[in-house]
Amino acid sequence: MTSKRPKSIRRRRLPVVEPEARPRLGLRQLGIDTTDWDYVVALAGNPNTGKSTVFNALTGLRQHVGNWPGKTVARAEGGFEFEGDKYKLVDLPGTYSLLSASTDEEIARDFILFGRPDCTIIVADATVLERNLNLALQILEITDKAVICLNLMDEARRKGIRVNHKSLARDLGVPVVPTVARTGHGMDDLLRAAAGVASGGIRTQPHRISARGEAARSVDELARLLESAYPTLPNSRWVAMRLLEGDRRVEEAVRDGELADLVEEQSRAPEPAAHH
């Protein structure tokens, strides 16, 4: 990594972004009630970014409510209503990456890819933003329906770190919302951004790494083969890239039939209520 910082995260040069402390006028916390939802929102992020605080602020819950099927990893799922629409919020395990074979990373990766959430809120710690961008960029390779929750802005300010969230949003191609989830600062803006992405009212163009030349042709050819074998596979291009990069876990999923099982399982998943 070079020593030069990206423009959007240089220290002490850009104006301070002050999240607004507006009341969350359109939010109604629904706790564990996730019946008849209109949209599914996933909550992702590194550990210790305040992700659980965001989850609690939106749902009103204060603890995990179960485990992922067949896993010992805790699963938190809750509901909230915002401006007339009901949302099911699924708190994914905190991870630093989606590329290794840990159980937490598999759960997060599988849900974003096969669960097809209407929006994924990626919670990032503004005090160590560069460290958090690794996961954010990996998620943006899988889905274009995402919002960055730039949390802990108060801590960043105390450390003299200035973040230009508008510049970062342009760089990443998705909304970036500065927040202090602990106090509620910026949460109304986060809800509006997530609702806009989920409904399609906000269009995103996420930053992605583009293959070139022979590599691009190989990705395209393998993606077509995957689409032929698995017509409902959500992101054949991403799976093709992982296979070509030698991701052993993805290779095993294809070879052992697990990929086919995941695609089939998703096709049987219950549909949300009709969108307004």
Side-chain angles (χ1 to χ4, degrees), residues 167-182:
S167 175
L168 187 60
R170 286 192 295 270
D171 291 342
L172 295 179
V174 297
V176 176
V177 183
T179 67
V180 182
R182 178 178 53 82

Side-chain angles (χ1 to χ4, degrees), residues 218-268:
S218 297
V219 170
D220 290 340
E221 182 178 351
L222 184 52
R224 285 193 294 270
L225 291 172
L226 287 166
E227 288 169 2
S228 177
Y230 311 102
T232 59
L233 182 64
N235 191 332
S236 59
R237 184 174 182 79
W238 181 84
V239 176
M241 289 177 65
R242 298 310 310 146
L243 287 170
L244 290 172
E245 289 174 11
D247 188 316
R248 275 188 263 177
R249 183 66 190 87
V250 176
E251 288 177 2
E252 290 172 3
V254 173
R255 184 173 58 251
D256 300 342
E258 183 182 354
L259 183 64
D261 292 342
L262 287 166
V263 172
E264 177 64 21
E265 180 181 329
Q266 176 55 33
S267 70
R268 296 195 303 266

Side-chain angles (χ1 to χ4, degrees), residues 41-267:
V41 176
L43 196 59
N46 290 178
N48 304 313
T49 56
K51 185 163 65 70
S52 294
T53 306
V54 174
F55 178 84
N56 295 342
L58 295 180
T59 65
L61 294 173
R62 291 293 180 270
Q63 60 185 5
H64 287 283
V65 293
N67 287 344
W68 289 87
K71 310 288 185 181
T72 58
V73 179
R75 170 177 176 142
E77 185 178 293
F80 66 90
E81 186 175 314
F82 181 68
E83 295 185 344
D85 287 317
K86 292 181 72 175
Y87 296 79
K88 179 164 76 170
L89 184 64
V90 180
D91 188 12
L92 303 179
T95 63
Y96 294 102
S97 167
L98 297 181
L99 301 183
S100 75
S102 76
T103 301
D104 285 359
E105 292 179 4
E106 285 181 30
I107 288 171
R109 183 167 71 179
D110 286 351
F111 188 83
I112 294 170
L113 179 61
F114 297 104
R116 305 190 202 188
D118 297 293
C119 179
T120 297
I121 296 175
I122 306 166
V123 184
D125 181 348
T127 70
V128 286
L129 183 55
E130 288 160 295
R131 187 186 308 166
N132 286 229
L133 287 176
N134 181 47
L135 177 65
L137 290 170
Q138 290 175 19
I139 292 173
L140 294 180
E141 288 288 338
I142 299 177
T143 179
D144 58 355
K145 299 175 76 66
V147 172
I148 306 293
C149 171
L150 192 60
N151 198 31
L152 302 174
M153 287 293 291
D154 55 337
E155 295 292 331
R157 183 168 60 250
R158 276 194 284 272
K159 294 181 179 182
I161 299 172
R162 309 292 187 256
V163 182
N164 186 328
H165 72 283
K166 292 182 180 179
S167 175
L168 187 60
R170 286 192 295 270
D171 291 342
L172 295 179
V174 297
V176 176
V177 183
T179 67
V180 182
R182 178 178 53 82
T183 63
H185 284 262
M187 294 300 290
D188 205 37
D189 293 329
L190 179 64
L191 282 165
R192 286 196 174 90
V197 169
S199 68
I202 294 177
R203 300 289 183 180
T204 62
Q205 293 183 311
H207 171 82
R208 286 177 178 161
I209 299 170
S210 299
R212 297 181 180 180
E214 187 62 33
R217 287 188 288 274
S218 297
V219 170
D220 290 340
E221 182 178 351
L222 184 52
R224 285 193 294 270
L225 291 172
L226 287 166
E227 288 169 2
S228 177
Y230 311 102
T232 59
L233 182 64
N235 191 332
S236 59
R237 184 174 182 79
W238 181 84
V239 176
M241 289 177 65
R242 298 310 310 146
L243 287 170
L244 290 172
E245 289 174 11
D247 188 316
R248 275 188 263 177
R249 183 66 190 87
V250 176
E251 288 177 2
E252 290 172 3
V254 173
R255 184 173 58 251
D256 300 342
E258 183 182 354
L259 183 64
D261 292 342
L262 287 166
V263 172
E264 177 64 21
E265 180 181 329
Q266 176 55 33
S267 70

